[in-house]
Amino acid sequence: MLQKWMEDYMSDYKKAVENIPLDSVYKLIERFARANTERKQIFVFGNGGSAANASHFVNDMAKSASDVLPDRFKCLSLNENMSLITAISNDYAYKDIFRRQIENFANKDDLLLTLSVSGDSPNLVEAVDWANKNGLHTIALLGGKRGRLADLARESIVVDSIHYGHVEDIHMLICHMIIYAFMENPGIVSSN
């Protein structure tokens, strides 16, 4: 029985991977290259497993991808400052934890990337809405439920699955494609 479950799990996962819209991933790579060239800040965030993916992505962009480029990526995971997150959550509301951080740090034309399986988390929706109203470029990596973020973000990639494990894994796969695009093709920055 467990063997069958594992086979089904992998079969569903492979289908979702095969449906990654590579043209959309390519556009994100170009968007990140432009942000690097124009010295724009990149803010990344999510909840739960998506928070871990956001931190992993920023770690690899700030270190590994930046190590091979003429100019380093200016990127920050908004999931890292727990004292600020808990202060905002306690003194205002949990839905404000990301919006209030980007209010402090963001400038017009900066890049904002959020990761969400449901696409409906109030703290993500509020941050993307504020960013749109204040001239940031917003991107969402989402699951098959799409949620409000699918319509709110200026660009989105929807993974064709509602399985949290599949979606979170594929979000990280997309993030790794972006990271390794720079690590293994550093000339893409100078060509944009």
Side-chain angles (χ1 to χ4, degrees):
M1 182 167 165
L2 185 57
Q3 182 70 30
K4 173 74 167 98
W5 174 85
M6 290 170 56
E7 290 169 0
D8 290 346
Y9 186 97
M10 288 305 298
S11 176
D12 292 344
Y13 181 79
K14 289 175 186 175
K15 287 177 192 167
V17 168
E18 288 168 359
N19 286 320
I20 294 171
L22 293 179
D23 57 331
S24 296
V25 177
Y26 178 80
K27 288 176 186 173
L28 290 189
I29 294 166
E30 288 183 320
R31 176 88 49 203
F32 281 99
R34 197 162 40 256
N36 178 276
T37 300
E38 296 174 359
R39 309 308 303 136
K40 299 298 179 187
Q41 298 179 105
I42 301 164
F43 301 99
V44 189
F45 55 97
N47 291 304
S50 295
N53 282 347
S55 295
H56 186 163
F57 178 68
V58 167
N59 173 74
D60 287 355
M61 289 291 275
K63 184 201 157 293
S64 301
S66 289
D67 282 351
V68 300
L69 300 177
D71 293 308
R72 304 187 73 78
F73 280 104
K74 297 172 66 171
C75 51
L76 178 70
S77 169
L78 300 181
N79 294 104
E80 302 304 318
N81 190 335
M82 286 309 298
S83 58
L84 183 55
I85 288 170
T86 56
I88 292 168
S89 172
N90 185 63
D91 296 346
Y92 303 107
Y94 187 74
K95 68 179 179 58
D96 296 338
I97 63 171
F98 300 124
R99 176 184 54 84
R100 286 188 176 269
Q101 289 187 72
I102 57 174
E103 283 179 357
N104 285 358
F105 302 124
N107 298 301
K108 187 177 183 296
D109 297 323
D110 283 343
L111 204 57
L112 184 142
L113 170 65
T114 191
L115 297 85
S116 178
V117 178
S118 74
D120 273 327
S121 300
N123 57 3
L124 307 181
V125 170
E126 185 161 320
V128 170
D129 184 51
W130 184 92
N132 284 339
K133 291 175 180 171
N134 288 275
L136 279 74
H137 186 82
T138 55
I139 303 165
L141 299 185
L142 303 168
K145 293 180 182 177
R146 301 176 52 87
R148 290 178 284 170
L149 287 172
D151 295 322
L152 192 58
R154 295 209 169 110
E155 284 183 80
S156 62
I157 294 179
V158 177
V159 172
D160 188 19
S161 175
I162 59 170
H163 188 284
Y164 272 68
H166 294 166
V167 175
E168 288 174 353
D169 284 351
I170 295 169
H171 283 175
M172 200 60 231
L173 173 60
I174 292 168
C175 287
H176 274 137
M177 280 196 282
I178 296 167
I179 294 157
Y180 279 87
F182 294 101
M183 289 174 61
E184 296 178 2
N185 306 280
I188 62 175
V189 168
S190 60
S191 66
N192 283 301

